[in-house]
Amino acid sequence: MAQAQAEIVALVTARQERRAAFLAARGWRVVIQARREQPLWPQGFDPLHVRRLTATDILHTRWLKVGHATATIEVLDREALTAGTLAHPLFAGIDMLTLTGLPVAPTIQTTTEGVALRAPGLTATFQHPTIECRLEEQLLLIHC
């Protein structure tokens, strides 16, 4: 029993450390916050390359595609952290998607379909997003 408890503590600690390391990555950070009434939904991901870090947080380490009626976000060959609900971290809707450690600032371009966002490993399109850029923090915050 003591060994099982020690292993659980070690697993929880390892997950906390992995999450902290992801969030502490140097470089640009992109945070995409879904509007409460319109969560993001998984459209594809590599199930062999996901790590559950908390009850609501999943670290995708290879590929992830999420979206809803007015947004599509795809992440390839870089890590992305999704925050879902307690009901299910993916399949009950995703509230937030975070990318860290981007070597350069993402590019934002207005198109006839809305706004396109590009960065190494990230492609996204949005209709009517609210975008906030905090240069001093190297943070791009998008509400969609």
Side-chain angles (χ1 to χ4, degrees), residues 48-124:
L48 298 177
H49 291 90
V50 296
R51 306 282 183 269
R52 189 165 191 169
L53 300 181
T54 70
T56 58
D57 291 357
I58 303 289
L59 184 65
H60 302 263
T61 61
R62 196 187 81 71
W63 174 63
L64 170 67
K65 185 174 182 183
V66 297
H68 56 54
T70 64
T72 302
I73 302 108
E74 187 167 14
V75 180
L76 181 61
D77 292 331
R78 79 172 312 107
E79 294 182 339
L81 183 69
T82 56
T85 67
L86 287 174
H88 192 283
L90 285 176
F91 302 123
I94 297 166
D95 298 324
M96 187 169 36
L97 184 148
T98 303
L99 288 94
T100 60
L102 294 169
V104 296
T107 61
I108 302 170
Q109 186 176 39
T110 302
T111 70
T112 57
E113 298 170 2
V115 174
L117 176 68
R118 304 275 185 268
L122 170 65
T123 305

